[in-house]
């Protein structure tokens, strides 16, 4: 059996994602589609609207065969580290291909990679992310512009794959429908960006999204519970108000005195939206600040976020996914975590488990303890 | 003008407190009654039901002339440090007497103090508080039993006063009515313990307490908002769940690995009551655990709790209190803080201000910023 891998967030799973899965299968002829999916937090530093189990279920219903969690230490990261984590999981799961959506399927990744910067000083500017410095550098060197978020991710997938030993064959797929960052659902089409869909959901406009997501997603969104930053704000606010600046500065990526700024803003902000507005400056991107907020919320220490997790937390599978797991099980080098036993919970899985327990505080739905992979029956 | 001082919590202010104020004035002939009162947290490690301003108002209505806050660093402490903080404030305010309630007004404090332990090793047993070791030692040496909480406090007042240079004359007053720890309101009497009154309030039984508190207290309790541990539990639970054990162990009095026990209990406890039940062992008294919980809730560091605050935070005064303040103002050595200016908020007052901001999160009522002393008009 051969599998094609996809790195995804599915926040939430929509028609464009289902289309991508079909395309990936068609173009590769793979027997199974394996997805490395962010857990309860996504790359931009936001809690996922639906939890990892709810989203895994919608992915399986939408054609995925095996869904494995992208651990928190890889998920809430800039593009380069997010890509590295996803590629590592798909390689560990012995995928043959890595399929990913892009606005420019003809992108010359080889040329880009032949011009990688070698001088580490290239990346020492305080006011830009590693990704955007990379992007600027490559543009100077090659004339190729990595404009969209998907192109940047695609490039980092290619780079991570090369650095890990080129285990995966890259399959760039032309994206269907609206741009990743389009913020509205365009009338008369079945496709919309996850961003646009999230905005419609948070505005309470579920009717509008019925057209652009599969039935399973709509049902899950209707059932909820949905989690967003506003629900977490009272806890983060309390933490920021009580913690000494020196204690905040011990958390991952809390640098350059931003802790004082965050503390001051917390006292006067009664919502997360107000808070983000109060802390935003030209110096920091919104996403960077939101990721910092997520590290603080979860009290994520550098040692936790800098680890490169080597486990495969199985969230669910179809019949084909189960066969695939069976086929590779004897040669997989990382542990397959189908049940979160005590040892894993206290060891490698500690950060994911903590993040899950915090979600449970809000939703009442356990995330690891006692949970077993979702098995999609053929009738579903 | 001469003043008699009282150290109090007034949680809440009841008929016994009003009686004590009258007694103190009568027995001493003082012109003013000065009260050092716990702020938003009380000695047992609980949030005060009513905030410091609400309680100061009831104290003034009940006969006090000047109410000054006993800072958090002195208030949430075992009896010896609580007494030291209160005595220091009353001495700084140039009180002539210190009046306090006791079950045994004839207690021989001199004899007790002539038998103080000199060997520090006397106090190095892990399983007992300093106060209870002291108590046991003195009983062995003198045969005098310090049985009740009030007798123990009285002894520590005497001790703190002696160590500070005997600035205050001690006036032990026989307590009126029910024992400090009596947990019920006895029918047919106008007096009940604060403990019994709190239990009746938390049980929603305001009618029952109308007999045993002055009208001002009843009105304040009716108006609220009242704060108890259960309302703080979601925040403390979140903090315990997210914090690394090593970070918890940096807080004041978190020792001997209790941080692991607290973390484990937090995950499974959906209420503060459950939590306390889960962590209670023979090794720790309930009060000690509750104080530890309060240090964690407020993220109080050892450097903050070990300071001996030297400021006089004025919460309110009567006409006589105002005259007294005027009379001593030129010779008082500690700053009189009537308005919480920025410098004080960031400096010496930081812990009290933070504690107040956390209360504001729950109640919406500012505690320091912009607050000025309550002035009781003669008509009240």
């Amino acid at each position: 059996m051969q599998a094609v891998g996809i790195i995804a967030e599915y926040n939430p799973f929509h028609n464009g994602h289902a289309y991508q899965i079909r395309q990936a299968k068609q173009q590769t002829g793979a027997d199974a589609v394996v997805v490395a999916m962010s857990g309860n937090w996504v790359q931009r530093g936001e809690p996922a609207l639906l939890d990892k189990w709810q989203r895994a279920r919608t992915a399986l219903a939408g054609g995925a065969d095996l869904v494995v969690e992208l651990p928190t230490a890889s998920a809430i990261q800039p593009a380069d580290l997010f890509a590295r984590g996803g590629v590592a999981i798909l390689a560990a799961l012995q995928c043959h291909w890595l399929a990913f959506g892009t606005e420019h399927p003809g992108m010359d990744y080889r040329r880009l990679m032949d011009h990688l910067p070698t001088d580490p000083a290239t990346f020492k500017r305080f006011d830009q992310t590693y990704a955007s410095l990379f992007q600027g550098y490559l543009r100077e060197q090659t004339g190729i512009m990595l404009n969209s978020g998907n192109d940047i991710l695609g490039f980092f997938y290619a780079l991570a794959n090369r650095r890990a030993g080129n285990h995966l064959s890259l399959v760039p797929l032309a994206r269907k429908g609206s741009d990743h960052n389009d913020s509205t659902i365009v009338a008369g089409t079945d496709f919309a960006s996850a961003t646009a869909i999230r905005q419609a959901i948070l505005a309470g406009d579920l009717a509008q999204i019925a057209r652009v997501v599969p039935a399973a997603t709509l049902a899950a969104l209707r059932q909820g519970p949905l989690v967003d930053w506003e629900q977490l704000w009272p806890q983060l606010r309390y933490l920021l108000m009580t913690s000494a600046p020196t204690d905040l500065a011990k958390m991952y990526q809390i640098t350059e005195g931003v802790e004082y700024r965050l503390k001051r803003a917390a006292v006067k902000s009664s919502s997360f939206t107000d808070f983000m507005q109060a802390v935003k400056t030209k110096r920091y991107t919104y996403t960077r600040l939101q990721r910092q907020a997520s590290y603080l919320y979860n009290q994520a220490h550098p040692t936790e976020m800098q680890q490169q997790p080597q486990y495969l937390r199985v969230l669910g599978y179809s019949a084909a996914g189960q066969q695939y797991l069976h086929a590779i099980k004897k040669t997989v080098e990382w542990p397959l975590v189908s049940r979160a036993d005590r040892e894993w919970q206290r060891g490698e899985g500690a950060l994911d488990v903590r993040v899950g327990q915090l979600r449970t505080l809000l939703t009442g739905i356990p995330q690891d303890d006692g949970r077993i992979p979702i098995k999609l029956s053929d009738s579903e």
Side-chain angles (χ1 to χ4, degrees), chain A:
Chain A
M1 283 183 88
Q2 283 196 315
V4 57
I6 289 173
I7 300 165
E9 307 224 274
Y10 297 155
N11 185 34
F13 188 89
H14 57 57
N15 289 348
H17 296 132
Y19 173 80
Q20 185 193 39
I21 289 174
R22 288 195 301 274
Q23 251 190 320
K25 265 187 122 163
Q26 278 166 14
Q27 293 208 11
T28 61
D31 307 295
V33 177
V34 171
V35 179
M37 185 188 79
S38 301
N40 286 319
W41 283 77
V42 298
Q43 202 237 332
R44 282 168 54 81
E46 286 173 0
L49 275 178
L50 292 163
D51 74 27
K52 59 190 183 185
W53 302 99
Q54 294 168 313
R55 277 152 51 238
R57 184 176 291 280
T58 60
L60 294 168
D65 294 303
L66 173 61
V67 182
V68 170
E69 181 173 355
L70 183 65
T72 310
S74 299
I76 319 180
Q77 293 283 15
D80 54 317
L81 299 179
F82 176 86
R84 184 180 70 181
V87 164
I89 283 187
L90 296 180
L93 282 164
Q94 303 175 12
C95 292
H96 193 81
W97 301 275
L98 165 58
F100 56 94
T102 169
E103 270 78 40
H104 304 97
M107 179 73 70
D108 188 348
Y109 292 114
R110 177 149 311 173
R111 181 169 156 74
L112 284 169
M113 282 192 284
D114 286 343
H115 290 84
L116 293 180
T118 48
D119 179 3
T122 316
F123 301 117
K124 292 231 166 120
R125 284 187 48 201
F126 69 85
D127 57 346
Q128 287 189 31
T129 61
Y130 180 82
S132 67
L133 285 166
F134 222 117
Q135 197 178 344
Y137 178 89
L138 289 175
R139 187 182 169 181
E140 275 175 33
Q141 299 292 314
T142 65
I144 301 175
M145 276 171 64
L146 292 168
N147 270 333
S148 77
N150 284 303
D151 282 345
I152 293 165
L153 262 180
F155 166 72
F156 280 114
Y157 291 151
L159 181 62
N161 186 43
R162 181 190 215 174
R163 287 185 171 163
N166 276 322
H167 295 294
L168 306 166
S169 299
L170 302 186
V171 184
L173 300 171
R175 282 169 50 82
K176 181 85 173 180
S178 120
D179 183 79
H180 182 61
N181 288 311
D182 246 15
S183 63
T184 53
I185 299 179
V186 180
T189 156
D190 295 341
F191 297 95
S193 72
T195 307
I197 295 170
R198 281 196 302 276
Q199 295 205 351
I201 294 164
L202 294 177
D205 193 359
L206 278 176
Q208 210 199 344
I209 65 156
R211 199 163 24 87
V212 295
V213 302
T217 299
L218 192 64
L221 291 171
R222 280 209 170 114
Q223 197 190 334
L226 306 178
V227 173
D228 66 21
W229 252 122
E230 293 302 346
Q231 294 164 62
L232 313 184
W233 175 238
Q235 296 169 326
L236 177 58
R237 190 184 189 193
Y238 158 75
L239 183 74
L240 290 172
M241 283 172 60
T242 51
S243 296
T246 49
D247 290 337
L248 295 177
K250 284 173 196 150
M251 301 300 151
Y252 185 59
Q253 291 288 322
I254 307 303
T255 54
E256 299 159 18
V258 75
E259 63 274 16
Y260 292 94
R261 195 172 171 77
L262 300 177
K263 261 186 90 72
R264 272 198 304 277
V267 175
K268 58 185 176 184
S269 303
S270 61
S271 72
F272 185 72
T273 309
D274 289 353
F275 172 69
M276 288 298 286
Q277 233 157 15
V279 294
K280 184 82 187 72
T281 62
K282 280 189 187 164
R283 181 161 172 173
Y284 301 111
T285 64
Y286 185 93
T287 303
R288 178 175 171 172
L289 283 166
Q290 198 169 250
R291 275 203 285 268
Q292 290 177 319
S294 74
Y295 303 143
L296 289 169
Y297 177 82
N298 293 299
Q299 293 211 49
H301 282 259
T303 47
E304 293 177 310
M305 290 301 294
Q306 283 161 359
Q307 66 189 336
Q308 293 179 41
Q310 300 204 330
Y311 53 82
L312 302 162
R313 176 88 175 103
V314 181
L315 297 178
Y317 39 72
S318 67
Q322 192 167 18
Q323 282 167 35
Y324 182 73
L325 269 179
H326 189 75
I328 63 167
K329 149 171 105 176
K330 284 188 181 152
T331 51
V332 160
E333 291 180 3
W334 293 3
L336 283 160
V337 182
S338 290
R339 286 168 197 268
D341 63 24
R342 245 180 138 147
E343 196 190 344
W344 179 78
Q345 289 201 34
R346 290 185 178 183
E348 276 200 291
L351 177 59
D352 294 343
V353 167
R354 184 165 88 234
V355 159
Q357 286 173 335
L358 291 174
R359 190 166 183 114
T360 306
L361 270 193
L362 288 174
T363 64
I365 303 169
Q367 292 297 306
D368 290 289
D369 225 14
R371 296 294 298 252
I372 54 167
I374 294 162
K375 204 168 151 182
L376 194 78
S377 66
D378 295 329
S379 61
E380 280 184 86

